[in-house]
Amino acid sequence: MRLDSRYLRGNTCTAKMNLLAVVAVALCAFAPSAHCASETIAWCYHEPSCNDSTWSTIAAPYCNGTRQSPIDIVSARATENENLTDFTFKGFNNTNGLDYIKNTGKTVKVVFTEGIQISGGDLSESYDSLQFHLHWGNGTSTPGSEHTVDGKRYPMELHIVNSKSSFKRNTTLAVADSEGLAALGFLIEELPDTTDQPGSWKTLTSFLSKISFSDQNATITAGISLDDLITGVNRSSYYRYHGSLTTPTCNEAVVWTVFKEPIKVSKNLIDLFSTMLHINNTNTSPLMVNVFRGIQPPQPVSTQRSSSTKFGYSLALMGLGLLVGRY
Ligand SMILES: *[C@@H]1O[C@H](CO)[C@@H](O)[C@H](O)[C@H]1NC(C)=O
Ligand SMILES: *[C@@H]1O[C@H](CO)[C@@H](O)[C@H](O)[C@H]1NC(C)=O
Ligand SMILES: *[C@@H]1O[C@H](CO)[C@@H](O)[C@H](O)[C@H]1NC(C)=O
Ligand SMILES: *[C@@H]1O[C@H](CO)[C@@H](O)[C@H](O)[C@H]1NC(C)=O
Ligand SMILES: *[C@@H]1O[C@H](CO)[C@@H](O)[C@H](O)[C@H]1NC(C)=O
Ligand SMILES: *[C@@H]1O[C@H](CO)[C@@H](O)[C@H](O)[C@H]1NC(C)=O
Ligand SMILES: *[C@@H]1O[C@H](CO)[C@@H](O)[C@H](O)[C@H]1NC(C)=O
Ligand SMILES: *[C@@H]1O[C@H](CO)[C@@H](O)[C@H](O)[C@H]1NC(C)=O
Ligand SMILES: *[C@@H]1O[C@H](CO)[C@@H](O)[C@H](O)[C@H]1NC(C)=O
Ligand SMILES: [Zn+2]
């Protein structure tokens, strides 16, 4: 997951440009030091000199931390936690909730209008939903989700970024709090066809031709909602762990939720992401492919208590009750 906001864009630190990589201007606001050292971190996905194998060095102190994301989720090791209740999704049905779509040079980001919020799901308070963005590989032939489940990598992954409502969208405050951000991860599975399904994704991808080059944006006028995009997923069924941003500066400020069921999207639409977007402002700059971070060391993962276990517990309690009753 990546984070940048309009507040960070206004930072007065000047970013140096590197021939190989676009400098992440957003980083200044995350830097703990007054001189803002991290603004010069030039990270990338496409060159060995700045790809994720270098981040723990070029983007210390956070990218070399001990609760880094993404991880491989081992389903059999997820412990059951009765506190992982359902979420409440406010404004996810708003067809005016998606404001604009932008090529950041590192991903495609969709920024929300105000008023979208999540709560529940064992989060400590409500969180304002700010944006979603995507991670992908190189078409459906080279999958590019960030999280893997039991070693399986999916074609794409969608991240909805949410910030504690009490921080009033101040992302500097959010990344300084170990639970300042809540990320919702949706794995994307391919429908092996070329039939433009679902319609919401046909609409979303219809904007890609307007943002071929980095920094281009387009207003989303088409009346699709977040509910339309995350269609078909049982939102009561998810994994939970504590991790980090998956791009420099990798702040360990994220409560992660990864939903078990994938969104199903036609292969022809998935392939558009790796064929239509450039990492810079020229046709000769590379296409945006393999925009995901590799797997980080494991973290404890929890999941809802399954109904069969609840049933098992009640049977055990009944048994205990019988025993107690007898003696
Ligand atoms: C992007 O293009 C600009 C000039 O058009 C250049 O200065 C910069 O180095 C390029 N960045 C990358 C990542 O190629
Ligand atoms: C990143 O660079 C390392 C070598 O430094 C290379 O082994 C790895 O394949 C590269 N990853 C990508 C995604 O290019
Ligand atoms: C990460 O790097 C920073 C700065 O080099 C260092 O102070 C810190 O101890 C490192 N953290 C870990 C977990 O190695
Ligand atoms: C569930 O929440 C209660 C109350 O906050 C807490 O005491 C308990 O440890 C939590 N359970 C788990 C499995 O985290
Ligand atoms: C969205 O859902 C809320 C709560 O269920 C409902 O009150 C509201 O009318 C719905 N809005 C739209 C645009 O459907
Ligand atoms: C992505 O896939 C295309 C078509 O299969 C191929 O030509 C290209 O070299 C691949 N790019 C990378 C970076 O692997
Ligand atoms: C965010 O909070 C920090 C720390 O309190 C403050 O310095 C900064 O001005 C705030 N940013 C905005 C845009 O309000
Ligand atoms: C969108 O693009 C326009 C035209 O280049 C630019 O003026 C505007 O600042 C951009 N908006 C955002 C939010 O990036
Ligand atoms: C959604 O998942 C929950 C938790 O696993 C389960 O109890 C529920 O039956 C599922 N709902 C549907 C419609 O499958
Ligand atoms: Zn992400």
Side-chain angles (χ1 to χ4, degrees), residues 138 141 289-290:
N138 191 6
S141 56
V289 297
N290 298 326

Side-chain angles (χ1 to χ4, degrees), residues 6 9 99-103 109 111 215-219:
R6 68 196 118 123
R9 208 172 294 133
D99 189 1
Y100 64 92
I101 184 168
K102 180 166 181 168
N103 176 338
K109 176 173 79 168
V111 175
D215 290 333
Q216 287 185 317
N217 65 72
T219 302

Side-chain angles (χ1 to χ4, degrees), residues 18-96:
N18 179 298
L19 280 176
L20 296 175
V22 177
V23 169
V25 269
L27 301 177
C28 282
F30 297 169
S33 59
H35 63 273
C36 189
S38 75
E39 102 256 21
T40 54
I41 297 170
W43 62 274
C44 72
Y45 290 112
H46 70 295
E47 291 275 353
S49 63
C50 49
N51 80 6
D52 62 351
S53 66
T54 70
W55 297 353
S56 62
T57 319
I58 68 172
Y62 305 126
C63 295
N64 66 340
T66 55
R67 52 170 262 205
Q68 289 290 296
S69 296
I71 59 169
D72 177 49
I73 295 167
V74 181
S75 59
R77 277 195 216 136
T79 58
E80 299 192 340
N81 179 346
E82 70 278 13
N83 297 339
L84 295 178
T85 53
D86 285 358
F87 291 94
T88 301
F89 299 91
K90 184 181 162 215
F92 275 49
N93 60 352
N94 184 349
T95 51
N96 296 310

Side-chain angles (χ1 to χ4, degrees), residues 191-199 202 266-269:
L191 286 171
D193 60 19
T194 53
T195 56
D196 294 334
Q197 294 299 317
K202 181 175 165 59
S266 289
K267 173 177 162 39
N268 69 312
L269 298 182

Side-chain angles (χ1 to χ4, degrees), residues 258-278:
V258 177
F259 292 91
K260 293 183 183 178
E261 295 181 0
I263 307 170
K264 294 193 169 116
V265 177
S266 289
K267 173 177 162 39
N268 69 312
L269 298 182
I270 289 174
D271 286 343
L272 295 175
F273 289 90
S274 53
T275 55
M276 295 190 67
L277 304 163
H278 290 271

